[in-house]
Amino acid sequence: MQAIKIGLFGYGCVGQGLYETINNSKNFEGEIKKICIKNPNKARSLSADLFTTDKNEILNDESIDVIVELIDDAEAAFDIVTTALKNGKSVVTANKKMVAENLEYLVKLQEETGRAVLYEGAVCASIPIIRTLEEYFGHEPINEIKGIFNGSTNYILTQIFSKNTNYKAALADAQKLGFAESDPTLDVKGYDAKFKLSILLTHAFGINVPPAQIINLGIDHLKPADLEYARENELEVKLIARAKRIGDKVYGFVAPQFTKADNRLQEVRNEFNAVSLTGEFCDEQLFIGKGAGSLPTGAAVLSDISALSYDYKYEYKKHFNQATIKFSSDSLVQVYASFDNPDTIDLNDFESIHEKYFSFDHSYVIGNVCINKLKDEKWLNNKNLNVVLCENGVEDTLGKLCVEDLKAEVSELKKGHDLLVKISR
Amino acid sequence: MQAIKIGLFGYGCVGQGLYETINNSKNFEGEIKKICIKNPNKARSLSADLFTTDKNEILNDESIDVIVELIDDAEAAFDIVTTALKNGKSVVTANKKMVAENLEYLVKLQEETGRAVLYEGAVCASIPIIRTLEEYFGHEPINEIKGIFNGSTNYILTQIFSKNTNYKAALADAQKLGFAESDPTLDVKGYDAKFKLSILLTHAFGINVPPAQIINLGIDHLKPADLEYARENELEVKLIARAKRIGDKVYGFVAPQFTKADNRLQEVRNEFNAVSLTGEFCDEQLFIGKGAGSLPTGAAVLSDISALSYDYKYEYKKHFNQATIKFSSDSLVQVYASFDNPDTIDLNDFESIHEKYFSFDHSYVIGNVCINKLKDEKWLNNKNLNVVLCENGVEDTLGKLCVEDLKAEVSELKKGHDLLVKISR
């Protein structure tokens, strides 16, 4: 087999990880021929000859077999990947946002050009979940896929509970140690986990669900009082992405959830990720591994490059062979919703309320709400409101349609709050 | 793609699981053309036309593409598999003993005939570990592979600790519920886990290690006093197969081990298996899934059949490309060895002793011993002796050579025993 010539875009964390894994691999016949970067003046450990700022020097080079795209900018990445395919070159990428937002088009383009796009590194880095879904579960109906898909937030949450600290402090520590970005939005608001879930929906269920259709709640609204509630009830919090098939519907979303000690996902700590798959024949499979980092992601990319050397492509078997399953957010889930001021919340949004607690500075309601409701501005982007899925938040409710029959208890809660205010004076 | 015609040997638990998964699969183009069984008079749910007792009716049938071998008898299985390959047919098998004991020959025969033998179902059923090692970790140096490879013993051990019972009672319950065979020897003595470890050594490290070279200790010598020791020290027991590379040596064996609550493997319960892989780049990967059962194993077999339809073969990349790594049992491990009578044990066998306890009816020694020593008859098949690896049994010792310098403390222990006997009178 001839040595693979690689054209690499980006030489940041993952690009350097790829370079290192190639050098330390056994039996890998291939080399990086050229690296396209944005800033030529940055200090780098490799010879300047290896670098270029002109993308076409790589995209038009006929001796280059495989394009590897490892840059941040999702739009530039899309441009590189699609051009490469049209130029007859297969691609490996790790850009979850770009792949999730353009997957339908990328599948079509692969078909048209006969070239492949592989993206194992985009979904939980070194956990070989896409390859496993394609190769191993291609014929098995999947019933549920869920897990911890974001290492940054899992690191923060692990530190919160093991060091008995709060969200702000844990985030600051994580940033200092490089486990969280200076702008952590995509991670802490659950977008990153959502992009990965969106990609997995295609490979697990054969349904194309653009990220915009999936609801994501993050961990950035966690207040000290919420953490106290958790500790008092011997719970932790994990940010979980999930999708479950019930009948011909798949319900999916990203949300923080309270977990008990017997929940396997609670054992997944710090920057580790986990993917749990439940198939029709196999029952639950659990994969735990490092979801990020230059070497784990570099290794995932190398594995994809290696697969391209024998013309591997994703077959998207389920995608091309199913017509009946549909994605839906029209189902109840049980949530804990906490707030300072009762006006923050509209109790009419709850299908049923199981528990209410209010005090001066911290109140919460536990009840069933429709996933769709969580999309409303007053829920989703309300920084005065923190929503956490209860520990059995989907077991009894998922699949139950939201009923328009709502109970109105706003005045009761308001009266209680006003009374307390009176008493305090 | 033309529909695959399958010739099946065996219609027991896994054969029926395969039949059911084929019927319930999406997108699988294939069917079982003929099934060879031993006993034609057994009541079966399928039409009698489908069955034959003549293996050649299948092996010589040119219209049959793939042979699937799912019988118990390892020798007959070897005969079927090798004949199939020589007749130009690829094979799927789930027979761990047969594959482990003949792997070197099977690799050679695959090369000579150009046909493939796939055996995912032989190693932890639905956990796609071989496919993952071949496809995903083919270029990554593996540092350690370990796990719980046997569902029967894991079920028994889980029941012992969750129901606070003993080995005999838990074994009897397991047999009643079908989680253990009426003759449980291969499982409870650790042979089954050893066969799987032997196979994984080829795919993970590229070394061929016949089962006879690997030491296996089981759980069948666990006494109530050992379980009490565990409970008092907040430990459980798991039967763990492991292999770890240190420098150019790989040390491996199967043994029960004491585990603390923070050991991930302790969370793996009942019939679930787990495989933990530590690679040079990926750090620890953990796979947890059902290691046995008709559907999980049937699904693994179906996945292999499906792979054969596009000419998939194991590449044995590491096997063909390495010459320097060697398997070794010449290293220290820290064990707990318990016995009724001090004459059972020869303290000279210990490199160093850390703890000794003796009483009328139960004594134990904790110390470092050479893995090789455990092969001696007086250790291995001594039913008066129970050996359990300590919870940190390999961390400080593995890789340390056994030194011939031994301490003689037999008389001290004997004196103490005799004294106690005197006092009791």
Side-chain angles (χ1 to χ4, degrees):
Chain A
M1 201 181 289
Q2 269 189 322
I4 287 192
K5 288 200 170 39
I6 299 160
L8 174 61
F9 283 82
Y11 195 62
C13 171
V14 183
Q16 292 171 55
L18 175 64
Y19 185 85
E20 205 174 320
T21 52
I22 287 178
N23 279 355
N24 290 315
S25 278
K26 297 175 183 290
N27 329 321
F28 176 69
E29 296 294 318
E31 49 152 20
I32 298 173
K33 184 180 176 190
K34 208 77 175 175
I35 307 176
C36 182
I37 36 77
K38 243 185 350 190
N39 179 352
N41 299 318
K42 220 172 179 181
R44 295 185 176 96
S45 52
L46 305 179
S47 155
D49 300 343
L50 214 43
F51 295 93
T52 175
T53 51
D54 175 15
K55 63 183 183 181
N56 291 316
E57 205 180 315
I58 295 180
L59 293 171
N60 296 336
D61 182 342
E62 288 193 16
S63 76
I64 284 179
D65 307 297
V66 161
I67 300 295
V68 178
E69 179 283 291
L70 299 175
I71 67 178
D72 275 330
D73 182 339
E75 283 184 35
F78 178 71
D79 176 55
I80 289 163
V81 169
T82 49
T83 307
L85 290 171
K86 291 172 188 166
N87 282 14
K89 297 184 195 314
S90 287
V91 182
V92 177
T93 171
N95 199 312
K96 56 223 75 163
K97 182 179 197 295
M98 184 274 290
V99 172
E101 289 178 344
N102 300 282
L103 190 48
E104 180 107 82
Y105 179 72
L106 289 174
V107 173
K108 191 162 77 77
L109 196 55
Q110 289 178 74
E111 259 196 302
E112 285 173 12
T113 60
R115 301 282 89 196
V117 183
L118 304 183
Y119 36 83
E120 194 70 59
V123 185
C124 304
S126 63
I127 299 179
I129 185 61
I130 300 180
R131 194 78 67 86
T132 298
L133 280 168
E134 283 281 307
E135 295 299 297
Y136 207 76
F137 291 95
H139 297 300
E140 177 164 350
I142 299 291
N143 292 330
E144 184 172 20
I145 185 164
K146 68 182 179 193
I148 294 169
F149 296 172
N150 180 270
S152 225
T153 45
N154 201 46
Y155 181 86
I156 293 167
L157 290 167
T158 306
Q159 297 301 304
I160 285 175
F161 288 92
S162 64
K163 298 227 163 75
N164 203 21
T165 178
N166 63 51
Y167 170 71
K168 280 194 164 67
L171 169 61
D173 280 344
Q175 286 168 320
K176 225 180 297 178
L177 295 168
F179 285 108
E181 310 271 354
S182 38
D183 177 3
T185 310
L186 286 186
D187 296 316
V188 301
K189 283 195 173 292
Y191 286 102
D192 178 83
K194 175 163 85 168
F195 298 142
K196 294 162 179 172
L197 181 64
S198 170
I199 295 171
L200 289 175
L201 285 168
T202 287
H203 292 275
F205 300 99
I207 46 178
N208 176 250
V209 189
Q213 286 180 29
I214 304 170
I215 289 156
N216 56 299
L217 297 167
I219 65 166
D220 55 323
H221 291 180
L222 279 169
K223 297 187 296 297
D226 300 319
L227 302 174
E228 205 180 299
Y229 170 88
R231 291 179 184 116
E232 278 165 16
N233 289 281
E234 292 180 340
L235 301 165
E236 285 194 24
V237 177
K238 288 296 192 188
L239 184 64
I240 296 175
R242 59 162 44 84
K244 186 166 181 167
R245 184 181 65 79
I246 298 177
D248 62 354
K249 298 273 193 305
V250 170
Y251 303 96
F253 56 93
V254 175
Q257 180 176 27
F258 288 122
T259 56
K260 286 208 196 78
D262 63 2
N263 185 327
R264 274 197 173 132
L265 293 180
Q266 197 168 289
E267 290 310 305
V268 180
R269 302 171 66 71
N270 289 323
E271 74 270 37
F272 278 80
N273 284 186
V275 184
S276 159
L277 257 189
T278 306
E280 189 69 20
F281 311 134
C282 285
D283 211 335
E284 192 189 3
Q285 295 282 326
L286 184 60
F287 304 80
I288 301 175
K290 281 210 167 151
S294 81
L295 289 183
T297 317
V301 171
L302 177 59
S303 179
D304 278 349
I305 295 170
S306 182
L308 286 179
S309 76
Y310 50 83
D311 292 329
Y312 180 74
K313 298 184 72 149
Y314 295 142
E315 286 185 53
Y316 299 102
K317 282 191 270 282
K318 289 178 173 168
H319 179 79
F320 288 122
N321 285 299
Q322 85 83 24
T324 56
I325 298 176
K326 296 232 177 313
F327 186 75
S328 170
S329 296
D330 192 23
S331 169
L332 292 181
V333 288
Q334 192 190 54
V335 302
Y336 157 106
S338 77
F339 42 90
D340 297 340
N341 186 320
D343 288 339
T344 304
I345 202 169
D346 183 353
L347 291 182
N348 285 322
D349 287 344
F350 283 88
E351 164 60 20
S352 55
I353 291 175
H354 306 140
E355 200 180 318
K356 289 189 304 269
Y357 168 86
F358 52 83
S359 70
F360 274 126
D361 52 3
H362 174 64
S363 305
Y364 67 78
V365 171
I366 294 178
N368 289 352
V369 68
C370 192
I371 306 173
N372 265 325
K373 268 281 171 235
L374 302 174
K375 262 196 265 195
D376 290 357
E377 272 307 300
K378 57 184 163 149
W379 280 88
L380 196 61
N381 288 321
N382 187 342
K383 56 179 171 21
N384 296 317
L385 178 65
N386 178 40
V387 179
V388 180
L389 194 65
C390 296
E391 57 272 32
N392 291 318
V394 299
E395 273 71 6
D396 301 322
T397 52
L398 209 61
K400 292 207 174 91
L401 291 173
C402 307
V403 174
E404 292 308 318
D405 208 14
L406 301 168
K407 299 173 185 169
E409 292 182 43
V410 180
S411 51
E412 191 184 332
L413 194 65
K414 267 189 160 156
K415 276 189 219 149
H417 179 89
D418 293 345
L419 186 61
L420 265 176
V421 168
K422 270 203 197 125
I423 290 170
S424 74
R425 292 186 187 140
Chain B
M1 202 178 291
Q2 269 188 319
I4 287 192
K5 289 202 170 36
I6 299 160
L8 174 60
F9 285 82
Y11 195 61
C13 170
V14 183
Q16 291 172 57
L18 174 65
Y19 185 85
E20 204 175 321
T21 52
I22 287 178
N23 279 354
N24 291 314
S25 278
K26 298 175 183 291
N27 328 322
F28 176 69
E29 296 294 317
E31 49 153 17
I32 297 173
K33 184 180 176 189
K34 209 78 176 173
I35 307 176
C36 183
I37 37 74
K38 246 187 345 192
N39 180 355
N41 300 318
K42 221 173 177 177
R44 294 183 177 96
S45 52
L46 305 178
S47 153
D49 300 341
L50 215 41
F51 294 93
T52 175
T53 51
D54 175 15
K55 62 181 182 181
N56 291 316
E57 204 180 318
I58 295 181
L59 293 171
N60 296 336
D61 183 341
E62 288 194 14
S63 76
I64 284 179
D65 307 297
V66 160
I67 299 295
V68 178
E69 180 282 293
L70 299 175
I71 67 179
D72 275 331
D73 182 341
E75 284 184 35
F78 180 71
D79 176 55
I80 289 163
V81 169
T82 49
T83 307
L85 289 172
K86 292 172 189 165
N87 283 13
K89 298 187 196 311
S90 287
V91 182
V92 177
T93 171
N95 200 313
K96 56 224 77 166
K97 182 178 197 297
M98 185 273 290
V99 172
E101 288 177 344
N102 299 282
L103 190 47
E104 179 107 84
Y105 178 72
L106 289 173
V107 174
K108 192 163 76 81
L109 197 54
Q110 288 178 75
E111 259 196 300
E112 285 172 11
T113 60
R115 301 283 85 195
V117 182
L118 304 183
Y119 36 84
E120 194 70 62
V123 184
C124 303
S126 62
I127 299 179
I129 185 60
I130 300 181
R131 194 77 68 85
T132 298
L133 280 168
E134 283 280 309
E135 293 300 298
Y136 206 76
F137 291 95
H139 297 300
E140 178 164 347
I142 299 291
N143 293 329
E144 184 174 19
I145 185 165
K146 69 182 180 192
I148 294 169
F149 296 171
N150 180 270
S152 224
T153 45
N154 202 47
Y155 181 86
I156 291 167
L157 290 167
T158 307
Q159 295 302 304
I160 285 176
F161 287 94
S162 65
K163 300 227 162 77
N164 201 22
T165 178
N166 64 50
Y167 170 71
K168 280 196 164 66
L171 170 61
D173 280 345
Q175 286 168 318
K176 224 180 297 178
L177 295 168
F179 284 108
E181 311 270 354
S182 40
D183 177 3
T185 309
L186 287 186
D187 295 316
V188 302
K189 284 195 171 292
Y191 285 102
D192 177 84
K194 176 164 83 167
F195 297 142
K196 293 162 180 172
L197 181 63
S198 169
I199 295 171
L200 288 175
L201 285 168
T202 288
H203 292 276
F205 300 101
I207 48 179
N208 177 252
V209 189
Q213 287 182 27
I214 304 170
I215 289 157
N216 56 300
L217 297 167
I219 64 167
D220 55 324
H221 292 179
L222 279 170
K223 298 189 296 297
D226 301 318
L227 302 175
E228 204 180 300
Y229 170 89
R231 290 178 185 115
E232 278 166 15
N233 289 281
E234 292 180 339
L235 302 165
E236 285 194 24
V237 176
K238 289 295 192 189
L239 184 64
I240 295 175
R242 58 162 45 84
K244 184 165 183 170
R245 184 181 65 78
I246 299 179
D248 61 355
K249 298 272 194 305
V250 172
Y251 303 96
F253 57 95
V254 176
Q257 181 177 26
F258 287 123
T259 55
K260 286 207 194 79
D262 63 1
N263 185 325
R264 274 199 174 132
L265 293 180
Q266 197 167 289
E267 291 310 306
V268 181
R269 302 171 66 70
N270 290 323
E271 73 270 37
F272 278 82
N273 284 188
V275 183
S276 159
L277 256 190
T278 306
E280 189 70 19
F281 311 134
C282 285
D283 212 333
E284 194 189 2
Q285 294 281 328
L286 184 60
F287 302 81
I288 300 174
K290 280 206 167 157
S294 82
L295 290 184
T297 317
V301 172
L302 177 59
S303 178
D304 277 349
I305 296 170
S306 181
L308 286 179
S309 75
Y310 51 84
D311 293 328
Y312 180 74
K313 300 184 70 151
Y314 295 143
E315 286 184 55
Y316 299 102
K317 281 192 270 284
K318 289 178 172 169
H319 179 79
F320 288 122
N321 285 300
Q322 83 84 23
T324 56
I325 298 176
K326 297 233 177 315
F327 186 77
S328 170
S329 295
D330 192 22
S331 168
L332 292 179
V333 287
Q334 190 189 55
V335 302
Y336 156 106
S338 76
F339 42 89
D340 297 340
N341 186 319
D343 289 337
T344 305
I345 202 169
D346 183 354
L347 291 181
N348 285 325
D349 288 343
F350 284 88
E351 164 61 19
S352 56
I353 291 176
H354 305 141
E355 201 179 317
K356 289 190 304 268
Y357 168 85
F358 51 84
S359 71
F360 275 129
D361 51 1
H362 173 65
S363 305
Y364 67 78
V365 172
I366 293 178
N368 288 354
V369 67
C370 192
I371 304 172
N372 264 326
K373 267 282 171 236
L374 302 174
K375 260 195 267 196
D376 290 357
E377 272 307 300
K378 57 181 165 155
W379 279 87
L380 196 61
N381 288 321
N382 188 342
K383 55 180 172 20
N384 297 318
L385 178 64
N386 178 41
V387 180
V388 180
L389 194 66
C390 295
E391 58 271 32
N392 290 318
V394 300
E395 272 71 6
D396 301 322
T397 53
L398 210 61
K400 291 207 174 92
L401 292 172
C402 308
V403 174
E404 291 308 318
D405 207 17
L406 300 167
K407 298 172 186 168
E409 293 185 42
V410 179
S411 50
E412 191 184 333
L413 196 64
K414 267 191 162 157
K415 276 190 218 151
H417 179 89
D418 293 344
L419 186 63
L420 265 176
V421 170
K422 269 205 195 126
I423 290 170
S424 73
R425 292 186 189 142

